[in-house]
Structure formats: C-alpha cells, structure tokens
Amino acid sequence: MKHIIRRSTVACLAFVLAVNLGWAQTEKAHTAPADIQYRASAPKINALVHTKLDVKFDYAKKQLHGKAWLNLKPFAYPTDSLTLDAKGMDIANVSLVNGKSLQKLKYTYDQQQLKIQLGKMYKPEEPYTVFIEYTAKPEELKAKGSAAITDAKGLYFINPDSTVAGKPVQIWTQGETEASSAWFPTIDRTNQKTTSEVSITVPSKYVTLSNGKLVSQVKNSNNTRTDTWKMDLPHSPYLFMMAVGDFKIYKDKWRDKEVSYYLEPAYAPYAKEIFGKTPEMMEFYSKLLGVDYPWNKYSQVVVRDFVSGAMENTTATLHGDYVQRTPREMLDETFSQAESTIAHELFHQWFGNYVTAESWSNLTVNESFANYGEYLWAEHKYGKDVADEHNYEDLTNYLSSEKDANKKLVRFDYDDKEEVFDLVSYQKGGRILHMLRNYLGDDVFFKGLNLYLKQNAFKNGEAHQLRLAMEEVSGKDLNWFFNQWYFQAGHPNLDISYNWDEATKTEKITIKQTQGGQVFTLPMAVDVYAGGQKKRYQIVVNKAEQTFSFPSAVKPNLVNVDADKVLLAEKNDHKSLSEFAFQYANAPLYRDRLEAVLAAGAQKKDPQAVKILLAGLNDKFYGIRIASLQGLDLTQPSVAAAAFPIIEKLAVSDPNTLVQAQALAALASRNSAADLPIFKKSLESKSYAVQGAALMGLALQQPEESLTIARVLEKDNRKALTEAIVNVYAKFGTDKELPFVKEKFEAAGTNEQVQLIPAYINILGKTNDPKMIREGVDAVKAIGLKYKAYGANSFVSNFLTQLKQQKQGDQASLTYIDEAIKELR
C-alpha cells in the first residue's frame, strides 16, 4: 500500500508535509492508553485452505450477490465450530458440503462475525468445506478508514448508474486492512493463507481482473459473461481483489509470464510509457533477491476514486488514477512520483505477499521493505543521486513529524490497527533497512534477504525472523540493532563539533547525542580530507558524548562525519562555510552537496555561500541545480550579475524541465523586459511546468497578454500549467473565468487542490453569484475538515477570512462563510 501525497511545492502548504506518506500518517499523536492492550497475533483455530467465490452485481443497489465455498481444517486442536469475518451482509444459506449435497448448519450472526456450529468435532488437519450464500451491502456498512486508506467498505461501485458524464462505470475492491470480509466471508487475518478461485459475472461489455490466471470465460444467455480467475499459490485474504470496467488491456511479458496493464481507453495509447519498465523491474528484483518473481502473472489496473495511492493485491496491483498520465505530463516527473509507486507495489509481491506480516504489529516486514524497494530500483536504474534524493525526502518527511518520534517500528500496543500505516512503518523503516545494508555490506545484506524469503515462503514473517536470517548469514549478533531500531522509539539528535590541535597534529571531533533518554549505538564512517588525500575511519558512537581523535600532518580541509550519509538522525553539524565549500567540491554524494547548498542558502549573503550556490547551478544532478536556484538571493546586485547569465542558460537549455521552470521563476523575479522573449519562447515548450512558469513570468509584466494566452492554453493544460492559468485568472481576470477555476479545482487531486485554494478563494471574491460562492466555500471547507488533524482547518480558515474581506456588504455570503469557519474550528 502506498499513499500518494509526498511533498507540497509551495511554502504556504507546509501542513501537507504532515500528510505525506510514501505511504501514510496517523491522524493523531500516539499515546499508549493507561492500561496498555497487547495486540497479539490472531489465534489460528481453523486454517483456510482454499476459497472459491462466485459473484455477480446489482449495480442499482450497489450490492454483490455471492456464493462462497471455503475449504478449511482445524489448525492445532480439535474444534466443532468456525468463526468467519463477514461485515454487513445478508446471509441466506450456511451449509456443510457433504459430497454433492448440502447439510444446513446452525449459526449466529451479528453483522461482523458469522459463528458456525459444524455439527461434529473435527480433528487437526481434518478437512471440511462450508458453503455460504450471501449478499454484500458495502454502501450500508459503517466502516472506519485511516489516513493511508480513507475508507474501509471493501467493495466500491463507481458511477454505477452512469449519471456522471465522462466518468467510467467501475467496480473494484480494497481489502487492506480487514475489508475483504466486506465482500466475502473469510478469516480476515494476515496469518491466514489460502489458494483461490473467483468467478465474476458481469455485463459482456466489461473487462474483469482478479488474482491469478484467467482460466475460463463463459458467455451467458442474458448478455453477461462469467470470468474465472484461479490463484494456485496461497495468499492472505486482504490481498484478494476484483476490478470490473471498460479497461483496455496492454499485454507485456517477463520471461515466460504474462504482464498486463489495464487502463481507461483514453490512456491506453500510453500504457507502455506508464508501466513499461515493469518487466525490467521484475528482472532486477528477481536477480537482486535470488528469488524469481513467484506468481503466475502480474497485472496493474488503474481505477477511479481509489481510497489510497495503490494496493499490492497478489498478482494484480490496483492504482489510483493519478498513475494515468500523458507523455507530456511525464516530461515533468521525478522518480518520487508514479514510478516509485509502481516499484513499491511490485516489491510487495515478495515482501508482503510471498512473505506476509504475521500481524499488523509487524507491518514493517511489508511496508518498510516496499519503501526501500523504491530506493533499490532508483539506484539501479538512475544512479545514486536520484536514489539518495528519494532517500532524503523520506528521511526529512519522517523527521519533520514530531508525533511519530515516540512510536516503535514494531508495536503491539496500538489503539487501532490503522495507526501503524504511518511515517514510521514506511519512511523510517525504509531508512533503517538502508542503515542495516550499509552496516552488513551488500553481499551479506542481500544474502540475508534471500534466506528470509526462502525460510518463510508463502508463510508469515516478523522482525525477529528477519534478524535471525541476517545473523545467520553475517555471523554477527544484531540484537542491539533490532532492539534500538525495531523495538524502541525515537532517533538520535547529533551535535557535531570540531577542534584542530596544532601542537599534537590531531583533529578532534565531539559528537553529543542530545535527544535525551535512550542513547543509540551508531556505527559510522568518518572521512578526513587533508593534504590532497582522503582517509576513512570507522567509528562507533555509543555514549551521550564522545570525542574521537584523528592524526593529520596538516589541518584537515574537511572532516565528514557519517560519510556514507546513511544515519537516521537529526544533525547539527558545526562546519564553517569554507568547509562546506570544500565538501561540495570534493565529497561525492548527493547529501554531501545538498548539505553544502542548504548551508549556503541559510547564509546567502556570505561570499563563500554565493560561491557554493553558483557552483550548484552547474551541478550534474538536477535536484542540486534546483536547490541552488532556490537558495540564491538575487536581490543582491553582485549575486544577480554573476547568476543571471547562468540562469538564462538554464531557462533555455537545461535538459531537465523542472530546472528550466525554476530558472524561469528566478528570471521573473527581476521583472526585466529583456526576459520577455525567453518567456514567450518557453510558452511553446511541451512541458507543462515550463509553460506554467513562463506564463507567470509574462503575467508580471504583461497581464493582459497573459490572460489572452492563458485562454488559449486552456485547450491542453495539466498540473503546473493549470495552476499557473488559475493564478493568472485569480490575479488579473474576472469572474468569467470562475467556471474554469471551479472545474479544475474539483478535478484535481488533494495536493493540487490545496495549492489551488488561494487562487480559488481570490476569484470567488470577484463574483456576486451566491451559488458559486457557496459551492466554492463548501469545496475548500471539505479539504479543511478532511485534513483537520494536520492543520488544514486553520489553513482554509485563513483564506475564508480573506474572502470575508472581499465580500463586505454581501451579508448572505458573510453569514455562510462564518458558518464554514465555525465548522473548521
């Protein structure tokens, strides 16, 4: 599972950082209740063996009519009863299958669990089959979601009556955490595994997808078709899936296995661009892990209104519609967007599906690995700079959330299982694996992953089993590592200072752990640069304050602590700007250069800082070029004189469109007529980001012309260009442009909606249409309420207060706005 909100691009939207997940964040700070409840793994009284389903749909009622045959056996002790999860269903028949006949069974049902008397005592391993006929009614189900998975109905009907023009009719499922039991009776626990066969009857015009292989398609007499999908390897119930809709299928392959992509017809021509790296990913992960992709096929389907970013159902990942993009949109993408999600969900096919978390308390063995799978693919495909930037984003997202610092990675005391889908299980856990890899070395680390996968294949895993596998291959005791990173909360805060002793020719570094409480054990590399050479030392920090001494013939130019840049820690590093300048020029990693650029940006008037930032404009990696552009103080004449010639070249010819766009924004800041030809030429770019930046630059000098051009650009606008058009309309247009702004706001994803709120509010202030005002207020209020836990309510309230100033004299609107502000408190 991966949540798609990663990072906001404007400073006023800082609260969005709190919603980020490469996967997702909890809604409130975790505080253990006074009487801590231990969340044990679910007891296995009966074991699922095989699940056979036969389903059809009532589109009008948004219901599923199903038949289920469940093959089970007592697990360890004799039993005469069976308890199944079955949420919000009508139960028509519960019977024991006795040959070709059905024997009715007694049962009780409370709308959550179906408790069945089997009529006799079954011995351990003695098989039996239960038949259940039922109706699932997801629209009547009151189910609580989470920040990662915003709803838990299990089964979703999208536009079933075709009332929303242009929106496809679809059905899809979402089983994590325990919502599969909202559409079929099962033992809805991670430590259950079952093979499956799912027969789906749908109108003949629709395509279906489910787990495993499509083994038959039967045309029925009533213009319907029944597709049967078979999964011959065991997997957990939460990984069951169905999708039904007007999808176009693109067939690909990996080795001799089918790989397929299901998209809406409008995006089918771009299937290869969207998903085409999947077979290469499958090959890379198979070789890296020493375990070939274990399932019989791999499909990816894109659906509307998905309740999260994506879901790694066995053999059939389901993506939200943000993954559907045109080639023009892809021009402006970084790895951290759709491709990282595709990699994340694929890596789950090993970590999460092949070996599944024993319980939600051990979610780390699913999600931390999938998160780190993103890094591994980026490193392989695009190199260390791209991977390390991705790593740094995840690290800073975790460190920026104070409320996650007191959560353990493995936690058995959560209030609600949904809480574990947070920055700890995803981002922090991925960084912990990165440290473990660095500590053990690549050969041993990946050998350990191979052993863990093979020892627990088609079964369940925990952090302890991971530790034991790593200890077996490394010959090292790793209790200290797992105790502090998996079973304790928090992270170190390091204060690093330096002192050169000329008399003894010794460089001393003092490292203080200032976090209080637990002291961490931190193996790390230290690189000492002196006399034109670099010497590496390995140290272990394991005290609240420690001083390390390094001999050197001359005063070092730089002492680079955590030289591999792997520590999960907050660092206050007392280097001078001259040392950071040396670090930028000589230390090789992305983080080395970024740290120097950020230090320079914090002291941007210093000549040494300017030198670093100017050098950063020509960095080999686009992320550093962007950070350098953002760090420069272009109001200083000397800086402007040195920087603008370089910035002009970046705006016109940088190979990365995001750098071009940032350079155009920098040019716009000087408000010079000399830049107008660059802006106008850039409006011809295929990049939405470049066009958007050029439009904003033009608007600052020629607002009327920018309005005219914006209306032309309405014909094909997405993402950054849409935001630019909306901002131009809000600042320079009239309420005639309000319908466009409203349409774009309603169609945008959450991140984009938040970014559009200031402009939407501003243009609402220009209309006297009470209906448009109410609809706009309701739309932004909904965002504020949905993300209230992250400060969105205050963010939205501030802009609604601004709208009040614009609507003075319109008492009806003022009253409506006041009511919205009250709701947001």
Side-chain angles (χ1 to χ4, degrees):
M1 174 67 69
K2 184 179 173 78
H3 196 58
I4 62 174
I5 302 174
R6 294 193 62 85
R7 180 169 294 232
S8 173
T9 57
V10 291
C12 68
L13 304 176
F15 89 89
V16 175
L17 291 174
V19 190
N20 288 4
L21 286 184
W23 262 125
Q25 185 168 319
T26 58
E27 297 182 3
K28 60 183 180 179
H30 175 78
T31 53
D35 52 339
I36 295 175
Q37 182 176 353
Y38 175 71
R39 302 287 181 171
S41 298
K44 294 172 76 170
I45 299 170
N46 288 281
L48 291 168
V49 177
H50 182 70
T51 299
K52 180 180 178 181
L53 303 174
D54 187 346
V55 303
K56 58 184 179 180
F57 307 100
D58 185 328
Y59 281 78
K61 293 182 179 179
K62 300 182 182 180
Q63 294 179 352
L64 174 151
H65 299 295
K67 297 177 182 179
W69 293 262
L70 306 180
N71 295 350
L72 306 104
K73 58 185 179 182
F75 184 72
Y77 303 101
T79 186
D80 60 357
S81 64
L82 168 67
T83 298
L84 298 173
D85 299 293
K87 298 182 176 75
M89 299 178 180
D90 289 339
I91 304 296
N93 188 349
V94 178
S95 297
L96 186 72
V97 177
N98 190 357
K100 294 184 179 180
S101 63
L102 297 178
Q103 174 187 333
K104 288 287 184 72
L105 296 174
K106 295 180 180 179
Y107 66 90
T108 60
Y109 181 51
D110 64 0
Q111 293 295 303
Q112 292 293 313
Q113 290 190 320
L114 182 63
K115 297 186 176 182
I116 303 168
Q117 295 299 316
L118 298 174
K120 61 167 278 190
M121 187 70 69
Y122 285 84
K123 299 175 183 178
E125 301 295 319
E126 183 179 359
Y128 64 92
T129 300
V130 171
F131 169 77
I132 303 167
E133 190 170 0
Y134 65 97
T135 298
K137 302 182 292 182
E139 293 302 308
E140 299 176 27
L141 186 64
K142 291 180 173 58
K144 178 179 176 288
S146 68
I149 311 160
T150 58
D151 200 287
K153 292 189 295 189
L155 176 68
Y156 298 81
F157 290 81
I158 308 303
N159 199 25
D161 51 8
S162 301
T163 55
V164 181
K167 189 171 190 176
V169 177
Q170 296 176 346
I171 297 172
W172 46 263
T173 61
Q174 162 51 34
E176 196 171 38
T177 51
E178 294 172 7
S180 284
S181 50
W183 66 275
F184 67 96
T186 188
I187 304 175
D188 209 350
R189 300 293 184 269
T190 62
N191 60 1
Q192 290 283 344
K193 296 219 169 185
T194 170
T195 55
S196 62
E197 181 179 326
V198 182
S199 296
I200 310 169
T201 299
V202 296
S204 297
K205 61 183 177 180
Y206 292 135
V207 168
T208 72
L209 176 65
S210 190
N211 312 98
K213 278 193 172 182
L214 180 62
V215 295
S216 72
Q217 290 187 297
V218 178
K219 292 183 179 179
N220 304 315
S221 59
N222 58 350
N223 201 30
T224 65
R225 188 188 69 254
T226 300
D227 293 351
T228 299
W229 296 83
K230 192 169 184 180
M231 167 60 74
D232 55 4
L233 295 172
H235 60 136
S236 293
Y238 80 91
L239 296 167
F240 279 45
M241 71 83 67
M242 294 186 299
V244 179
D246 180 21
F247 302 112
K248 297 298 180 186
I249 308 172
Y250 182 97
K251 292 291 181 71
D252 210 337
K253 67 181 297 185
W254 172 74
R255 298 184 187 176
D256 61 346
K257 293 185 178 182
E258 175 192 330
V259 177
S260 53
Y261 319 127
Y262 290 61
L263 296 112
E264 292 177 30
Y267 289 92
Y270 318 127
K272 191 71 172 177
E273 290 92 337
I274 294 169
F275 289 120
K277 295 185 182 71
T278 301
E280 186 182 351
M281 289 181 184
M282 295 170 75
E283 184 69 16
F284 167 65
Y285 288 146
S286 294
K287 288 183 175 178
L288 184 71
L289 299 170
V291 175
D292 286 348
Y293 176 80
W295 312 103
N296 54 19
K297 72 108 166 36
Y298 188 56
S299 300
Q300 295 176 89
V301 59
V302 184
V303 302
R304 293 288 187 98
D305 299 344
F306 190 49
V307 294
S308 188
M311 180 62 207
E312 68 276 10
N313 311 293
T314 314
T315 76
T317 287
L318 196 152
H319 290 278
D321 61 2
Y322 76 98
V323 169
Q324 292 186 138
R325 301 100 69 216
T326 65
R328 281 196 69 186
E329 288 177 90
M330 292 182 226
L331 284 174
D332 300 326
E333 288 187 347
T334 66
F335 170 75
S336 290
Q337 293 166 304
E339 189 174 340
S340 70
T341 302
I342 292 168
H344 179 110
E345 305 307 333
L346 175 59
F347 208 58
H348 267 309
Q349 299 299 322
W350 287 267
F351 292 93
N353 299 10
Y354 186 65
V355 181
T356 308
E358 172 69 18
S359 70
W360 300 120
S361 296
N362 265 281
L363 182 66
T364 178
V365 299
N366 289 13
E367 294 299 350
S368 300
F369 275 106
N371 176 280
Y372 194 52
E374 302 169 31
Y375 179 93
L376 294 171
W377 170 250
E379 181 183 40
H380 166 77
K381 183 67 176 176
Y382 303 108
K384 272 194 67 62
D385 278 353
V386 172
D388 286 348
E389 180 187 52
H390 191 69
N391 186 75
Y392 180 72
E393 288 180 359
D394 279 352
L395 174 65
T396 53
N397 284 345
Y398 161 72
L399 292 177
S400 67
S401 176
E402 293 182 9
K403 63 187 178 183
D404 287 300
N406 67 338
K407 298 177 186 174
K408 300 172 185 175
L409 184 57
V410 177
R411 66 198 94 138
F412 290 92
D413 60 348
Y414 54 76
D415 296 329
D416 189 298
K417 62 186 181 300
E418 308 299 334
E419 293 176 4
V420 298
F421 290 81
D422 58 12
L423 288 163
V424 177
S425 294
Y426 290 76
Q427 283 87 340
K428 182 180 182 182
R431 311 294 67 73
I432 290 169
L433 289 170
H434 194 47
M435 288 190 294
L436 184 60
R437 174 188 173 189
N438 180 263
Y439 177 68
L440 295 176
D442 278 12
D443 289 347
V444 171
F445 177 77
F446 290 111
K447 187 177 180 181
L449 295 189
N450 173 270
L451 182 62
Y452 168 80
L453 289 171
K454 288 181 175 179
Q455 286 178 334
N456 303 289
F458 304 111
K459 297 185 292 187
N460 296 90
E462 298 186 26
H464 288 299
Q465 288 159 316
L466 176 63
R467 174 181 61 81
L468 291 169
M470 291 296 180
E471 288 183 340
E472 183 172 339
V473 298
S474 69
K476 294 176 180 284
D477 179 274
L478 295 173
N479 276 291
W480 66 270
F481 184 92
F482 280 78
N483 285 342
Q484 75 178 18
W485 290 116
Y486 281 80
F487 304 112
Q488 297 294 328
H491 57 266
N493 294 343
L494 304 181
D495 185 87
I496 308 167
S497 58
Y498 308 86
N499 181 51
W500 167 249
D501 188 331
E502 179 67 30
T504 61
K505 299 294 184 182
T506 303
E507 178 74 16
K508 296 182 178 181
I509 64 168
T510 298
I511 302 176
K512 299 178 182 177
Q513 296 195 41
T514 63
Q515 68 273 5
Q518 176 190 2
V519 173
F520 286 77
T521 296
L522 305 170
M524 70 181 77
V526 176
D527 286 346
V528 178
Y529 293 78
Q533 295 182 332
K534 179 183 78 173
K535 188 169 183 180
R536 170 158 291 198
Y537 298 88
Q538 297 292 340
I539 67 171
V540 177
V541 175
N542 54 17
K543 297 177 182 177
E545 179 175 341
Q546 283 172 275
T547 298
F548 300 87
S549 298
F550 305 98
S552 179
V554 296
K555 185 180 188 302
N557 303 101
L558 172 70
V559 177
N560 196 8
V561 176
D562 181 28
D564 289 329
K565 296 296 180 281
V566 296
L567 287 184
L568 195 163
E570 296 184 66
K571 291 189 287 188
N572 184 20
D573 201 346
H574 298 283
K575 292 191 183 94
S576 66
L577 274 177
S578 62
E579 288 170 320
F580 275 120
F582 187 92
Q583 178 172 311
Y584 177 84
N586 294 276
L589 300 179
Y590 162 80
R591 281 281 302 281
D592 292 315
R593 290 159 15 239
L594 181 67
E595 286 176 358
V597 166
L598 294 178
Q603 303 178 60
K604 57 187 67 181
K605 294 186 184 299
D606 189 292
Q608 194 71 253
V610 174
K611 179 181 176 182
I612 295 170
L613 293 169
L614 290 175
L617 295 180
N618 293 307
D619 195 273
K620 64 179 180 177
F621 181 53
Y622 67 84
I624 299 294
R625 299 199 295 277
I626 291 173
S628 300
L629 283 164
Q630 294 170 336
L632 285 164
D633 181 2
L634 295 170
T635 63
Q636 295 185 71
S638 61
V639 176
F644 274 123
I646 305 172
I647 293 172
E648 290 172 10
K649 292 180 182 178
L650 296 176
V652 172
S653 59
D654 194 276
N656 184 274
T657 60
L658 298 181
V659 175
Q660 289 182 43
Q662 189 66 49
L664 287 166
L667 289 182
S669 70
R670 70 177 172 180
N671 201 24
S672 170
D675 296 326
L676 287 174
I678 296 177
F679 294 141
K680 291 179 179 180
K681 180 65 176 176
S682 297
L683 285 167
E684 301 173 8
S685 172
K686 291 183 178 180
S687 160
Y688 291 124
V690 171
Q691 282 188 312
L695 181 64
M696 292 302 296
L698 179 66
L700 293 175
Q701 297 187 55
Q702 297 182 349
E704 289 303 319
E705 184 174 355
S706 73
L707 278 170
T708 301
I709 292 172
R711 293 180 184 116
V712 174
L713 293 174
E714 279 190 23
K715 296 175 184 176
D716 181 6
N717 65 94
R718 303 283 178 98
K719 304 291 184 179
L721 179 56
T722 300
E723 186 177 348
I725 294 171
V726 167
N727 281 321
V728 167
Y729 287 165
K731 188 171 180 63
F732 304 114
T734 69
D735 63 346
K736 291 180 181 179
E737 282 83 35
L738 179 55
F740 173 85
V741 175
K742 180 176 182 289
E743 175 191 349
K744 291 299 177 181
F745 184 86
E746 291 173 347
T750 300
N751 240 356
E752 289 76 23
Q753 283 186 325
V754 174
Q755 293 179 27
L756 292 175
I757 283 174
Y760 193 13
I761 290 291
N762 195 47
I763 202 166
L764 282 174
K766 298 182 179 185
T767 185
N768 293 317
D769 184 334
K771 182 174 182 290
M772 294 291 276
I773 292 170
R774 288 195 301 272
E775 289 177 349
V777 169
D778 288 344
V780 299
K781 179 183 69 177
I783 296 292
L785 292 174
K786 185 174 182 179
Y787 295 104
K788 186 175 182 179
Y790 312 105
N793 57 325
S794 297
F795 175 81
V796 172
S797 292
N798 288 338
F799 284 101
L800 289 178
T801 301
Q802 173 187 309
L803 182 60
K804 284 180 63 179
Q805 298 302 316
Q806 294 175 277
K807 305 312 296 179
Q808 292 299 315
D810 180 355
Q811 192 55 50
S813 293
L814 288 173
T815 300
Y816 199 82
I817 296 168
D818 277 332
E819 290 299 318
I821 292 173
K822 287 180 183 177
E823 282 189 65
L824 288 164
R825 285 175 185 158

